[in-house]
Amino acid sequence: MSRGSDPTELPAAKSPRPLGPTTIDSLGEDILLEIFLHLPSLATLVRAALTCRSWRRAVASSPAFRRRFRELHRAPLLGLVAEPQRDALPAFAPAQHRDRDVLAAIGGGDFALTALLDPQGYAADVPLHWHIQDCHDGYLLLANWDAGLLAAVNPLARYSTEYIDMPVSFSFDKERTDVPVAVDCHLLSSDEDPMSFQLVWLLYCKSKVQAVVFSSDTGDWFFHPWVEIEERALSNDADTHGLQFGVRSNDTLYWAFTNLEHVLKLDTATMEFSVSELPPYLKGLQGCRLVVGETKDGALCVVLCIGGSIFVSMNIADDDGVVRCVMRSVDYEADANPPEDIDTLQAISIVDGFVYLVTSEMVLALCLETMKLEKLFPRSFRARHFHPYIMAWPPSLVGNYGSFALIQDGVDNVSN
């Protein structure tokens, strides 16, 4: 009898069917987001997350992931926006990145600000006299005094420019003392609500200050009550107690007094004003331009450049909880032959724990935590005033906005 016909022989065991390969599409959202945390930059995350709806939905529906990503990755500097000459639009100098994803973000944006050439809903002959008021959260805030207009422009979101009529109840002439005088305007928005914003304009008249706030949700200006400030701290005398242009850091707006003895602060969460003393060593440096802001921990920080040196003053709490003013400095070798009409070294902004600076030939960044000075890219054109443009989270990765809306059952709603 053949072996194959032996009735006592057990049938051969079948080999297990091989499993299909594990693909990234089969991963759960938790594992997918953990992988995304290891991407090198926000620009890379945007390109990856927009690959398919499920990946975009995973990022857009998780505030916790976005918070962790921001903690791990510094938002990329896309370039500098320069204050324009008369009859011109602001100029953009792109950072010279080797990161292809960052370059793609720059190339996909409208940094020529072409929307300003034809303001929708306004006369076609609006003069090109746009001046930079603020640059934050992906927005450029521009003022056109001749047309009485403000423009909130997001170069990375084409066709999203919003125009706002200026209030008409105050003056822009700082020599006048009979009417409220406008200092400057700043834009506030939230990382988790990027389609809404507020504008905050500071007014002062003699010893009083006032915040005037515009809401993009209502389309209206709201005048907060006047607040009295001590005469010695603020007056209409621009030579001794006037205000420098303000800066925003985190949730606070700062205006240093021209005598460099005090700084006016506005808490934008409560809209409450306060006045703080600046470090005493600044009192003899009237006429110097300084940058006031905050460290990542929210401590007051003052940066001043003198010659080729960068001076940083920070309020730091010691082991006993006592807050002390600590002075640090970094020397930078100034350019051999700087142009006479351009400051050799100038601090321009404090953003997320970094001070951005320019020389006549280079753009720099100073880490406030390590005090390490980094050369970013060469300065490509001459201008006196610059604003760093930091990439912000796009609305498409933050949730329920138009064609990117998420509905309750987890299926994308693709209708506008």
Side-chain angles (χ1 to χ4, degrees):
M1 180 181 294
S2 66
R3 179 177 301 179
S5 61
D6 186 352
T8 63
E9 184 175 340
L10 297 176
K14 294 182 178 180
S15 300
R17 180 176 296 177
L19 298 176
T22 300
T23 66
I24 195 168
D25 289 331
S26 64
L27 299 178
E29 282 193 0
D30 291 343
I31 297 177
L32 179 67
L33 293 179
E34 190 64 32
I35 294 173
F36 281 175
L37 285 176
H38 294 273
L39 295 177
S41 71
L42 174 59
T44 305
L45 173 65
V46 170
R47 298 194 76 181
L50 295 182
T51 300
C52 63
R53 292 181 178 182
S54 61
W55 292 9
R56 190 203 69 79
R57 183 169 55 244
V59 173
S61 62
S62 179
F65 166 78
R66 294 193 293 274
R67 183 170 56 252
R68 289 183 63 196
F69 195 92
R70 293 186 188 101
E71 292 171 352
L72 294 173
H73 302 280
R74 170 182 164 194
L77 172 70
L78 299 190
L80 297 182
V81 185
E83 184 70 26
Q85 302 296 324
R86 190 169 180 84
D87 297 329
L89 294 176
F92 178 72
Q96 298 181 12
H97 283 279
R98 294 186 177 181
D99 186 325
R100 291 186 177 181
D101 296 323
V102 174
L103 292 175
I106 296 173
D110 180 20
F111 288 95
L113 307 180
T114 55
L116 297 177
L117 297 175
D118 183 21
Q120 297 299 314
Y122 292 88
D125 58 350
V126 171
L128 294 180
H129 299 167
W130 295 98
H131 298 277
I132 304 171
Q133 291 290 294
D134 200 2
C135 183
H136 260 101
D137 304 324
Y139 284 97
L140 270 171
L141 179 62
L142 306 172
N144 190 317
W145 313 114
D146 296 330
L149 283 178
L150 294 167
V153 186
N154 185 340
L156 294 180
R158 292 175 179 268
Y159 315 114
S160 63
T161 300
E162 295 196 35
Y163 297 95
I164 303 102
D165 291 312
M166 294 181 182
V168 296
S169 58
F170 52 79
S171 170
F172 304 104
D173 184 358
K174 293 186 177 183
E175 301 298 325
R176 298 189 61 176
T177 60
D178 57 329
V179 295
V181 175
V183 180
D184 55 9
C185 193
H186 296 269
L187 186 145
L188 311 174
S189 70
S190 168
D191 289 331
E192 292 302 313
D193 190 9
M195 298 296 284
S196 298
F197 61 86
Q198 290 182 314
L199 306 182
V200 179
W201 216 318
L202 176 69
L203 307 185
Y204 71 90
C205 186
K206 297 183 179 179
S207 61
K208 296 180 179 180
V209 294
Q210 182 185 40
V212 182
V213 180
F214 172 85
S215 170
S216 64
D217 293 332
T218 65
D220 296 322
W221 290 94
F222 178 78
F223 287 71
H224 285 267
W226 286 96
V227 177
E228 185 77 27
I229 302 295
E230 294 182 14
E231 285 286 351
R232 66 177 179 82
L234 183 65
S235 77
N236 276 17
D237 184 351
D239 294 332
T240 58
H241 295 85
L243 293 172
Q244 294 190 1
F245 286 108
V247 294
R248 174 193 159 197
S249 185
N250 298 325
D251 295 326
T252 305
L253 292 171
Y254 297 90
W255 294 270
F257 304 144
T258 52
N259 63 7
L260 301 187
E261 294 182 6
H262 300 85
V263 60
L264 177 68
K265 301 187 296 183
L266 176 64
D267 184 331
T268 60
T270 63
M271 288 297 159
E272 294 182 353
F273 285 102
S274 61
V275 176
S276 296
E277 290 188 1
L278 289 174
Y281 69 86
L282 295 174
K283 293 181 180 180
L285 300 175
Q286 292 188 26
C288 290
R289 177 74 171 93
L290 54 82
V291 174
V292 182
E294 296 178 359
T295 64
K296 276 191 173 182
D297 298 328
L300 181 66
C301 175
V302 179
V303 180
L304 178 70
C305 298
I306 301 177
S309 298
I310 307 166
F311 296 92
V312 179
S313 173
M314 291 182 281
N315 288 347
I316 300 178
D318 59 21
D319 295 337
D320 298 327
V322 179
V323 178
R324 304 181 186 279
C325 180
V326 177
M327 169 67 75
R328 299 175 180 175
S329 65
V330 175
D331 290 329
Y332 175 79
E333 184 176 355
D335 302 309
N337 298 297
E340 295 182 359
D341 59 339
I342 299 292
D343 292 336
T344 301
L345 186 61
Q346 177 186 358
I348 57 177
S349 185
I350 301 174
V351 182
D352 293 334
F354 286 83
V355 183
Y356 292 95
L357 310 99
V358 293
T359 72
S360 58
E361 295 184 355
M362 187 64 60
V363 179
L364 314 167
L366 174 67
C367 177
L368 291 174
E369 183 177 354
T370 63
M371 294 300 290
K372 180 181 178 180
L373 189 63
E374 176 186 3
K375 292 183 178 180
L376 298 181
F377 55 91
R379 174 174 167 175
S380 59
F381 59 85
R382 296 173 62 180
R384 285 192 174 275
H385 301 291
F386 295 91
H387 299 263
Y389 187 89
I390 311 294
M391 185 176 182
W393 282 72
S396 58
L397 294 188
V398 186
N400 300 313
Y401 298 105
S403 60
F404 299 106
L406 305 171
I407 60 178
Q408 294 299 321
D409 64 2
V411 180
D412 284 328
N413 176 8
V414 296
S415 62
N416 282 307

